[in-house]
């Protein structure tokens, strides 16, 4: 891929736009699905809970969440207007239980202690002020709630040709240090490895990622 193509890919991974964004959203859902499902598993979702997903993409995985328990409510929030509309379109069957919110990426437009469980997959690289945003997540999470943060490890991510464009990368130690500066204090770390298809071609690559299960 040429430099300009890599820049466009990086921009659309951060904030998918238009037809290209829809295509990237489909690709992200496919390449990230195992990370997403592993993250959802760590939430231990139970009946009657309200779930928040930050950076839902096209939310092609929503059915997997809704099948886990009874009487769930789901809210997805994203900075991409394209993904906001795409998620609504793809999930019409859940419109009585699911809301999608388009926002500016800094303040979560919810009341304090709204959600039982919160999760986000592959978004932390794009947070402008990570410590402040973690405290926003803390604010809207109920007491004793669970927040799951999943990210590709720095060592793996640095090998990808598009991450030099506006990605902030983290090792496990760097992420632990960041979270320790926020209001969150308790966390459990699990590491995973998997083989995935590259976002820039047809080759297979081995991805190393981390799931942090963080308690209020």
């Amino acid at each position: 891929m040429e430099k300009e193509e890599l820049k466009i890919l990086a921009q659309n991974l951060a904030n998918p736009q238009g037809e290209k964004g829809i295509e990237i959203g489909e690709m992200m859902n496919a390449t990230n699905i195992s990370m997403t499902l592993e993250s959802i598993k760590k939430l231990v979702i139970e009946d009657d809970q309200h779930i928040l997903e930050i950076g839902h993409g096209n939310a092609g995985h929503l059915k997997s969440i809704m099948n886990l328990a009874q009487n769930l409510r789901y809210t997805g929030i994203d900075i991409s207007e394209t993904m906001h509309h795409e998620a609504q379109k793809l999930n019409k069957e859940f419109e009585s239980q699911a809301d999608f919110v388009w926002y500016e990426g800094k303040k979560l437009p919810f009341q304090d202690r709204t959600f039982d469980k919160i999760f986000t997959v592959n978004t932390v690289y794009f947070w402008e002020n990570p410590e402040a945003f973690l405290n926003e997540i803390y604010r809207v999470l109920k007491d004793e709630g669970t927040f799951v943060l999943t990210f590709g490890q720095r060592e793996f991510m640095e090998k990808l040709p598009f991450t030099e464009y506006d990605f902030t990368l983290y090792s496990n130690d760097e992420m632990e240090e960041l979270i320790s500066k926020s209001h969150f204090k308790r966390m459990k770390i699990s590491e995973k490895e998997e083989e995935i298809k590259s976002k820039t071609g047809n080759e297979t690559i081995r991805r190393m990622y981390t799931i942090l299960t963080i308690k209020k």
Side-chain angles (χ1 to χ4, degrees):
M1 268 187 156
E2 297 294 324
K3 186 174 178 178
E4 277 310 306
E5 289 178 297
L6 289 171
K7 273 188 181 174
I8 290 166
L9 174 60
Q11 285 163 3
N12 274 286
L13 289 170
N15 187 352
Q17 299 290 329
E19 288 300 315
K20 183 69 175 174
I22 291 172
E23 186 187 311
I24 297 273
E26 289 171 0
M27 181 261 286
M28 281 196 292
N29 189 260
T31 57
N32 292 338
I33 192 65
S34 57
M35 288 178 87
T36 302
L37 294 179
E38 287 289 340
S39 304
I40 291 165
K41 198 187 296 181
K42 295 286 185 190
L43 289 172
V44 192
I45 292 170
E46 297 170 341
D47 292 352
D48 305 309
Q49 290 189 329
H50 192 175
I51 318 299
L52 173 66
E53 179 176 10
I54 298 167
H56 54 70
N58 69 12
H61 51 275
L62 181 54
K63 184 177 275 191
S64 299
I65 296 173
M66 291 307 194
N67 286 340
L68 288 175
Q70 300 295 310
N71 197 32
L72 293 179
R73 288 166 62 211
Y74 167 94
T75 299
I77 191 164
D78 209 293
I79 62 169
S80 164
E81 185 180 10
T82 298
M83 289 297 98
H84 171 72
H85 293 305
E86 192 70 3
Q88 287 178 318
K89 189 173 84 178
L90 293 177
N91 292 286
K92 285 193 183 301
E93 64 183 296
F94 300 115
E95 59 188 0
S96 64
Q97 291 174 272
D99 296 305
F100 293 99
V101 178
W102 178 35
Y103 82 130
E104 41 63 53
K106 295 185 182 71
K107 294 280 185 187
L108 294 171
F110 309 113
Q111 298 292 319
D112 295 358
R113 301 180 183 85
T114 297
F115 301 98
D116 299 282
K117 306 283 168 72
I118 300 175
F119 76 107
T120 190
V121 178
N122 284 334
T123 70
V124 68
Y125 329 114
F126 312 116
W127 296 358
E128 279 184 41
N129 187 334
E131 189 181 330
F133 196 64
L134 282 167
N135 288 334
E136 271 294 280
I137 294 167
Y138 183 94
R139 180 183 65 77
V140 302
L141 184 64
K142 290 181 182 177
D143 295 337
E144 301 306 315
T146 302
F147 167 46
V148 168
L149 189 161
T150 302
F151 65 99
Q153 295 172 9
R154 174 192 281 278
E155 187 184 349
F156 161 74
M157 296 290 286
E158 281 176 338
K159 295 172 184 167
L160 304 176
F162 49 83
T163 57
E164 64 181 288
Y165 304 106
D166 299 319
F167 279 64
T168 301
L169 305 181
Y170 298 90
S171 66
N172 285 356
D173 288 346
E174 289 165 331
M175 186 60 75
E176 282 187 76
E177 186 181 344
L178 170 63
I179 289 162
S180 73
K181 291 176 183 170
S182 75
H183 297 323
F184 286 111
K185 290 295 172 262
R186 292 181 290 154
M187 74 182 107
K188 197 161 76 176
I189 295 179
S190 57
E191 296 181 279
K192 300 277 184 183
E193 273 194 45
E194 62 175 352
E195 294 211 335
I196 58 160
K197 190 176 156 187
S198 164
K199 290 181 173 68
T200 54
N202 291 315
E203 73 270 26
T204 300
I205 53 177
R206 182 162 285 280
R207 170 161 63 193
M208 296 171 291
Y209 68 93
T210 298
I211 303 176
L212 295 180
T213 307
I214 306 167
K215 301 292 282 187
K216 196 162 180 179

